Amino acid sequence: MFKKYTFLLVGLMALVQPIRAETADEPTEGIRQQLIDTRLSCLAPAIPLDAASLDALRALYQKRDFQPAWDDERLGALTEQLAHLADDGLDPERYFLTALRQLRAIETRSPRFAACRDVLATQAYWQALHHLRFGQLDPATVEPIWHAEGTAPVIDQTALQADVEAGIDDLPAAFERARPNFKPYRELRRLYAARRSQPLPVWLPIPSGPLLKPGAVDARVPMLAQRLAREGYLPELLLRKDEQHEEGEHLYSEERVMAVKTFQRHHLLKEDGIVGPQTMAALNRSPAERMEQIRVNLERLRWLYREISPTGVVVDIAGAEVMFYRDGELTWRARTQVGRPTRATPVLRSVITHLTLNPTWTVPPTILRVDKLPEIRRNPDYLAENRMRVFDREGNELDPRSVDWYNPGAIRLRQDAGPHNALGQVAIRFPNPFSVYLHDTPSQRLFDNLPRTFSSGCVRVENVSQLIDQLLADASPQDRERIQRQWESGRTLRADLPRPVPVLLAYWTVQVGEHGELLFRPDMYGHDARILTALNAPRPGIASAAPAPAGES
C-alpha cells in the first residue's frame, strides 16, 4: 500500500527540499490565498481537482481566514472516519487514507509542506462527504434515471459546503449527517458492516446436473447441505441428523427442502424446493460476489434517497413490486409484472397525471412486428379472437382480409376495450418518452410466477383498483364518484387526477427484509456489473505516479 502512494509522498517531500535553509526561528505563517492556489496546483498529479472542488476548497479556507484546518488531533480523527467509509461500500483509499496517515507522521517546520498536507486532507474530507450524500458515481453515466420536467433532484452544494465547514470540529457527526437518513440505506449498511467484520464463508460450487427434487438421492446433496449450513439456512443439528439417515447424506430430505425454500424466498426465486438452474446459479454465487452486490446497491440507495418522494408510487423493478408511500410511510404494496430482459422497464421519475378508464390498446410497432404479425400469419382468426381491429395511417378501419400480412405496410392494430384487453380495465399514465405506464392485466395467473418478467416494458399491477384508491385518497367525494361513474360506463374515458402524484420506477437488487434478513434479487437486466466496474475504476491520477527521483522505483 505504501508503494501505491510513493508518488504522492515524494511529491510532498519535494516541497520540503528547497526550504531546508529555513530556520527554526522563522515564524510559521497562516495559509494565505496565494499559498493555497499554489498548493492546489502542486496536488494536481494526485488529485485532479475540478472547478467545484477548487471552489469548495477556496471557500472553506476563506471562511477560516486561510488558517490551517487540520492539526494532529483533527487529522487523526479524519483518518478514523475515512476508514469507516468501508462500511458504506466506499474504498477509503480513494480518499488517501494511507497517504494521510503517513503524511501525518512526517515532522517538518515547512509551512509549504504543511499547507499541501492540509489541502490534501481537506480535499479528501470534502469529497468523502460529497460521495456519502450524493453517491460516488454520477448515475447519468452508469444507470441513467429519466426525469420528467421539474422532477430532477437538486444537488445542493451550498448545504454540503455548510456541513463541511461546520463539521471540522465534530467529524463523526459530520460524516453521520452526510450519510442518507434513509432506513433502507442504514439497514443495508449495518448488515454489510457486520459481514465485513467476519471472515467470508467458503464453499465449492455445486456441480450442475438434473433437477434436484424433494426425496431425491443425489451425490450433490452433501455439498448443497454444507452450502446451506454455511449461511445459516440449515442448522448444524439437522445437518448431522440427515447424515445419520439410512440412505446417508445423499438424501434430499424434507429438512433440506425447507432450507432451500427459505433460500429461494430470500433470493426472489420460485419457492418450490426444487433446485433447478436458477436456484443453482444463486447458490453458486460466492460470498465475495454477494458483498460486491451489496456495495453496488449501497451506491444506488445513495442516489434513490434523493429520488423518492414522501408521498407517491414506487415501482421496485427487480423485485417486481409496487408500493405506495404516504408521508414516508408504506401504506400499500402489491405484485407487478415488469419488462422482460430484452424489453426492460426503464428507470424513471415522473408524475401520474391521469387514468385511462376502460382503455383500448394500440399495439406498439415493435410488438406488432415481433409478436403480432407471426401470430396473425399462423392463425387467420387471431384478430377476431382477440377483438383487434386494423387501421391505416389515416385512422380508417380496414378489412383484415384486404391486408397482405407478409407485407402489411403502415397499419395499426387496436384492441377493443374490455376485461380481455391487454391493459385490463385501467391504465395509469405519466409523462415519459418510453411509452410506458402502469396498468391492469387479464393475465392474473402470471402474478404467481417468479421471475415476473413478462411485459414489453410497461408495469402490470395486481389489485390495481386498490392502487387507484391510493391515488384518489385526497380526492373529494365528488371527484371519486365522478371517476367511478366513468369507469362503470364501460366507455374509454380519460380521468384526470385532482392532484398529480409522484411516481418512481427504480432498480435495485438487494434490500433488507422485514425481519432483518438480506434479500437478494436476480440482476435480470445486467445493470450491477456496469456500476461495480465504475465503482472499482482507478481514480484519475492514482494510476499515474509522478516521476520518482533517480534510483527509486
Side-chain angles (χ1 to χ4, degrees):
M1 188 61 70
F2 179 85
K3 188 173 182 180
K4 180 179 180 182
Y5 290 103
T6 297
F7 74 93
L8 181 58
L9 295 171
V10 168
L12 290 179
M13 287 301 296
L15 296 174
V16 182
Q17 303 306 318
I19 55 174
R20 283 179 175 170
E22 293 174 354
T23 67
D25 296 331
E26 180 183 1
T28 302
E29 300 178 2
I31 299 177
R32 295 300 176 200
Q33 175 74 61
Q34 182 178 4
L35 191 57
I36 286 293
D37 289 343
T38 303
R39 295 312 153 232
L40 288 175
S41 64
C42 89
L43 287 178
I47 306 178
L49 298 171
D50 56 23
S53 298
L54 286 168
D55 290 344
L57 291 177
R58 288 194 180 100
L60 185 143
Y61 281 109
Q62 188 173 22
K63 192 85 170 180
R64 299 182 59 82
D65 194 26
F66 302 105
Q67 295 301 309
W70 305 98
D71 58 21
D72 186 70
E73 182 179 353
R74 279 181 178 163
L75 194 54
L78 175 63
T79 56
E80 182 179 351
Q81 292 304 313
L82 293 177
H84 291 326
L85 293 178
D87 291 339
D88 295 274
L90 297 170
D91 179 6
E93 294 306 327
R94 292 188 70 88
Y95 313 95
F96 301 100
L97 173 61
T98 299
L100 287 171
R101 283 173 171 167
Q102 293 169 343
L103 292 171
R104 182 186 175 208
I106 296 175
E107 295 183 6
T108 175
R109 298 284 305 272
S110 165
R112 284 185 285 184
F113 182 90
C116 215
R117 178 172 55 192
D118 205 83
V119 171
L120 178 66
T122 303
Q123 167 65 6
Y125 169 56
W126 182 87
Q127 195 161 52
L129 295 195
H130 188 281
H131 288 175
L132 280 177
R133 179 168 294 188
F134 302 117
Q136 175 183 319
L137 306 174
D138 178 1
T141 64
V142 288
E143 194 169 80
I145 302 175
W146 182 88
H147 292 94
E149 183 177 359
T151 65
V154 176
I155 295 181
D156 188 353
Q157 298 283 15
T158 304
L160 175 64
Q161 185 71 26
D163 282 350
V164 167
E165 293 168 0
I168 288 179
D169 293 322
D170 189 349
L171 291 169
F175 277 76
E176 196 62 15
R177 281 196 305 271
R179 291 185 175 93
N181 186 21
F182 187 36
K183 185 178 179 182
Y185 181 86
R186 298 293 177 127
E187 290 181 337
L188 190 59
R189 180 184 186 271
R190 176 179 55 80
L191 292 185
Y192 179 73
R195 286 197 167 200
R196 280 190 64 251
S197 67
Q198 302 293 328
L200 291 178
V202 177
W203 56 73
L204 295 173
I206 303 170
S208 59
L211 293 178
L212 190 56
K213 297 183 178 181
V217 175
D218 192 293
R220 296 170 296 166
V221 169
M223 294 184 69
L224 171 65
Q226 291 290 343
R227 164 70 180 87
L228 295 168
R230 282 281 191 274
E231 283 198 301
Y233 291 104
L234 186 67
E236 292 290 339
L237 179 64
L238 292 178
L239 187 64
R240 292 193 296 271
K241 175 185 173 184
D242 278 344
E243 290 173 352
Q244 296 167 3
H245 193 276
E246 62 181 3
E247 294 188 86
E249 58 185 352
H250 292 170
L251 176 68
Y252 187 31
S253 63
E254 180 180 353
E255 289 86 355
R256 289 166 174 169
V257 172
M258 295 304 296
V260 166
K261 286 184 176 182
T262 303
F263 177 89
Q264 289 171 327
R265 185 167 66 253
H266 289 181
H267 291 77
L268 202 67
L269 299 166
K270 189 172 183 179
E271 197 177 333
D272 56 10
I274 298 173
V275 182
Q278 290 181 332
T279 298
M280 189 66 76
L283 285 164
N284 283 337
R285 291 285 300 275
S286 71
E289 289 176 309
R290 291 301 186 191
M291 291 294 282
E292 295 288 57
Q293 188 177 356
I294 297 173
R295 280 186 63 217
V296 164
N297 284 275
L298 284 167
E299 176 72 1
R300 279 197 179 107
L301 290 173
R302 287 189 281 268
W303 306 336
L304 292 180
Y305 175 55
R306 296 182 288 125
E307 301 284 355
I308 292 179
S309 302
T311 297
V313 176
V314 177
V315 175
D316 171 6
I317 299 173
E321 283 193 331
V322 59
M323 294 157 280
F324 195 93
Y325 287 88
R326 188 171 302 281
D327 297 327
E329 296 295 325
L330 178 66
T331 59
W332 177 84
R333 73 192 312 158
R335 296 180 294 184
T336 65
Q337 300 167 33
V338 296
R340 65 198 84 164
T342 55
R343 301 178 189 175
T345 297
V347 178
L348 63 84
R349 186 181 181 191
S350 189
V351 287
I352 298 170
T353 55
H354 65 281
L355 314 174
T356 303
L357 306 172
N358 309 305
T360 61
W361 180 47
T362 299
V363 180
T366 299
I367 299 178
L368 171 62
R369 183 179 67 256
V370 176
D371 299 336
K372 299 306 178 185
L373 287 180
E375 290 280 4
I376 295 168
R377 291 164 188 159
R378 281 193 294 268
N379 177 13
D381 296 325
Y382 180 83
L383 294 175
E385 291 171 358
N386 289 276
R387 299 186 62 181
M388 286 185 170
R389 292 190 281 168
V390 189
F391 297 85
D392 64 18
R393 67 175 66 199
E394 282 77 33
N396 301 308
E397 187 169 359
L398 303 176
D399 184 340
R401 293 171 297 182
S402 69
V403 177
D404 178 0
W405 291 105
Y406 287 90
N407 186 24
I411 64 165
R412 289 185 296 117
L413 294 186
R414 191 176 73 197
Q415 189 177 37
D416 292 339
H420 58 278
N421 184 278
L423 307 187
Q425 295 181 298
V426 64
I428 300 169
R429 309 283 188 175
F430 42 88
N432 70 88
F434 310 102
S435 300
V436 299
Y437 38 85
L438 279 61
H439 64 87
D440 185 21
T441 177
S443 303
Q444 294 292 311
R445 59 181 178 80
L446 296 180
F447 287 113
D448 293 327
N449 287 28
L450 280 172
R452 291 191 289 273
T453 49
F454 302 111
S455 83
S456 293
C458 289
V459 180
R460 304 171 184 173
V461 179
E462 186 181 32
N463 299 322
V464 71
S465 62
Q466 296 177 9
L467 177 54
I468 302 300
D469 288 340
Q470 295 292 328
L471 295 174
L472 298 176
D474 295 330
S476 67
Q478 294 80 3
D479 281 333
R480 293 173 66 89
E481 184 179 348
R482 168 181 58 81
I483 291 172
Q484 187 63 36
R485 285 199 309 268
Q486 290 174 322
W487 203 350
E488 292 173 353
S489 73
R491 292 179 294 147
T492 301
L493 295 169
R494 169 175 170 146
D496 292 329
L497 295 186
R499 183 181 307 153
V501 176
V503 60
L504 174 67
L505 278 60
Y507 188 90
W508 65 90
T509 62
V510 186
Q511 69 179 33
V512 179
E514 294 178 359
H515 305 292
E517 71 279 20
L518 275 170
L519 302 177
F520 295 94
R521 291 86 172 277
D523 180 20
M524 57 195 185
Y525 295 162
H527 292 342
D528 284 3
R530 186 166 59 248
I531 296 175
L532 182 60
T533 297
L535 284 174
N536 290 338
R539 176 175 176 165
I542 288 182
S544 55
E552 293 192 17
S553 59

